[in-house]
Amino acid sequence: MIRYTLAASCIALALSANAGAATVDEELKALKARIEQLEAEKEQAPEEKEMDKSIKFGGAARFQYSYEDYSDANTDRGGDFDFDLFRIDVNGNLDDVLFSAQYRWFEYMNVIHHAWVGYNFDDEQQGKIGVTQVPFGILTYASNNYFFSSNFYLGLEDDYDLGLNYTYKSDSNRLDLAFYKNDEQGGLDGYVSDRTHRYAYDVVGVRLAGEGIYDAPTAGYAAGEKNTFNARYSHNFQFDEVKLELGVSGQMGQLEIENGTDGDQVAAAIHGVVNYDRWNLKLQLTDYKYDVDGMDVERMVVAAYAFYDSIPAEATSYVADLAYSLPVAWGPVSNLTFYNDYSLVTDKPSGQKDTFMNVTGVAVTAGGLYTYFDFVVAENQPFIGGSMVGDGGTNKRFNINFGYYF
């Protein structure tokens, strides 16, 4: 279009009877200079827009070795070496609209981890919509090891649901408010082929008396989380070289049960995080309860990782984690994080046995390779030979999980 404008201008100048040769030359030079300026601006405009656009792809491939004293077959083989997962991450900013998503492929299922779009209202306020991390307790994790804390298996650590989030964050204060319409699978009537194919634990049914721990919900007693409100506040203190975070969290929501019965759930937590030099201490106290109208419920059905399990309908949990980060320069190895993470779940209904899990380990950072070495001692703990509603003995597991992150 610029070229055509130049041609038209030249014709008009040539046809002007009153214009001298010198004037025409001057006009042509001026027009040429202006065209060059416009073309330069046109070429630069996309580059300026690109500065407001950023899309980054990443992912990971993870593998795992485990030796389990509670599995005779595993110990006879000298442990098992398995594929863990492959994942793809995408994060970006397009014209001030933020987005983030992660999808995971396991040997036995494929799942969405999170997927949301957001907007920064200013330097301190952000809103999100989609499948987001539930703001509850210590963020991002109330643990250091590969197995999280026992809270994860209760749906109270690193949980993801579908809804709206608002975050206010300053140097000293953080406030999170969230409303989740349902879980990441769309609730009770979500269009999914298998409700156990999910990353984070959610309640999917009411466990009736006499049912097995790992049974699917009985017809009419499948359930889904809905209309859940979350609020979390934390304040950061600075005492010379000591940093302290104190926080409180609350969660309240409803259960939609297949037979039309009403249900609800409530949870609350207080937490503290202390950082001193290379030391980190995490402490959290959590209490939760599920109610179903007209029923004396003692267990709930949960689902994740391609199987059903059970949890107490109410309980109190304690988390205490201590970690030490040590920078090193051993070839590609740049950091070692030593930790001991302890969880206890108690005050379960009807004399159900306590759950405890203690994980002693070290996480090794070597470029894009991140490896957990964990020794786990636990009772009535999922993935360590038990269940939250079980009555088993003490089990042990040695686990190495290594993944390359790109």
Side-chain angles (χ1 to χ4, degrees):
M1 181 62 69
I2 293 174
R3 299 292 185 188
Y4 292 127
T5 304
L6 173 58
S9 300
C10 291
I11 293 171
L13 287 168
L15 294 176
S16 177
N18 297 326
T23 304
V24 172
D25 290 341
E26 292 173 359
E27 291 289 343
L28 285 172
K29 290 179 181 179
L31 283 170
K32 184 178 179 181
R34 177 56 179 160
I35 289 168
E36 290 175 350
Q37 179 184 356
L38 290 171
E39 287 183 331
E41 291 175 355
K42 182 179 180 182
E43 291 174 357
Q44 291 174 2
E47 295 179 3
E48 292 174 356
K49 289 184 178 180
E50 286 299 325
M51 294 177 65
D52 296 329
K53 297 181 180 181
S54 172
I55 301 176
K56 295 182 180 179
F57 290 91
R62 298 202 319 224
F63 306 87
Q64 183 164 275
Y65 170 79
S66 63
Y67 185 88
E68 305 159 355
D69 77 342
Y70 47 88
S71 171
D72 291 338
N74 174 277
T75 55
D76 288 344
R77 290 189 297 266
D80 290 315
F81 187 45
D82 298 300
F83 168 76
D84 184 13
L85 65 83
F86 177 77
R87 82 184 203 200
I88 290 293
D89 306 86
V90 57
N91 298 281
N93 180 351
L94 294 177
D95 299 325
D96 296 328
V97 177
L98 310 172
F99 60 90
S100 179
Q102 184 184 111
Y103 199 77
R104 297 188 172 196
W105 289 265
F106 296 83
E107 285 186 322
Y108 47 87
M109 67 174 189
N110 303 328
V111 298
I112 189 74
H113 178 269
H114 70 270
W116 54 262
V117 296
Y119 183 78
N120 289 329
F121 300 106
D122 54 36
D123 292 339
E124 296 180 332
Q125 300 182 86
Q126 183 183 83
K128 297 178 184 176
I129 182 171
V131 179
T132 67
Q133 186 184 50
V134 176
F136 188 88
I138 298 172
L139 299 177
T140 300
Y141 310 107
S143 53
N144 301 290
N145 69 89
Y146 172 74
F147 293 94
F148 300 97
S149 74
S150 294
N151 281 354
F152 176 76
Y153 307 87
L154 298 169
L156 294 172
E157 178 186 355
D158 200 32
D159 186 25
Y160 290 81
D161 290 323
L162 186 55
L164 302 168
N165 288 65
Y166 166 82
T167 299
Y168 168 83
K169 188 175 182 180
S170 66
D171 292 339
S172 300
N173 300 286
R174 174 168 175 167
L175 173 66
D176 292 275
L177 302 173
F179 170 74
Y180 295 99
K181 186 59 184 173
N182 40 247
D183 63 33
E184 67 272 31
Q185 289 190 343
L188 182 61
D189 59 352
Y191 295 101
V192 294
S193 59
D194 193 329
R195 298 190 71 202
T196 68
H197 286 192
R198 65 180 76 209
Y199 161 78
Y201 279 82
D202 290 301
V203 167
V204 296
V206 179
R207 181 66 76 205
L208 303 181
E211 288 184 347
I213 291 173
Y214 305 107
D215 290 347
T218 297
Y221 290 92
E225 301 170 0
K226 69 172 185 178
N227 300 333
T228 302
F229 292 89
N230 280 84
R232 178 187 182 276
Y233 172 74
S234 62
H235 184 79
N236 295 312
F237 300 87
Q238 180 78 47
F239 304 100
D240 294 327
E241 298 181 4
V242 178
K243 295 181 180 179
L244 170 64
E245 176 188 301
L246 295 178
V248 59
S249 305
Q251 176 174 295
M252 182 179 297
Q254 298 173 304
L255 295 176
E256 182 180 12
I257 301 173
E258 193 174 24
N259 61 15
T261 305
D262 292 328
D264 57 72
Q265 51 109 351
V266 62
I270 56 174
H271 76 265
V273 179
V274 181
N275 286 289
Y276 171 71
D277 194 27
R278 297 173 182 170
W279 292 93
N280 173 264
L281 174 66
K282 299 182 179 74
L283 300 170
Q284 182 170 318
L285 166 64
T286 308
D287 193 80
Y288 76 90
K289 184 175 183 179
Y290 290 90
D291 279 316
V292 178
D293 289 353
M295 297 182 65
D296 185 13
V297 180
E298 296 183 355
R299 301 179 298 169
M300 303 299 294
V301 184
V302 294
Y305 297 95
F307 71 93
Y308 293 104
D309 202 345
S310 304
I311 63 170
E314 59 181 296
T316 301
S317 74
Y318 303 86
V319 170
D321 308 329
L322 182 64
Y324 180 80
S325 179
L326 177 64
V328 297
W330 300 344
V333 179
S334 59
N335 192 82
L336 303 174
T337 301
F338 301 91
Y339 49 80
N340 192 88
D341 295 349
Y342 179 78
S343 304
L344 173 67
V345 182
T346 187
D347 297 329
K348 302 175 183 178
S350 300
Q352 295 178 32
K353 299 298 182 180
D354 291 349
T355 290
F356 86 83
M357 178 170 63
N358 192 85
V359 187
T360 303
V362 58
V364 181
T365 304
L369 186 65
Y370 194 80
T371 308
Y372 294 96
F373 294 86
D374 290 324
F375 178 66
V376 190
V377 181
E379 285 186 4
N380 305 317
Q381 170 65 45
F383 286 92
I384 315 297
S387 168
M388 287 283 177
V389 298
D391 185 10
T394 301
N395 296 320
K396 303 178 184 66
R397 174 170 176 166
F398 175 65
N399 200 85
I400 304 174
N401 186 279
F402 62 94
Y404 184 77
Y405 295 78
F406 55 89

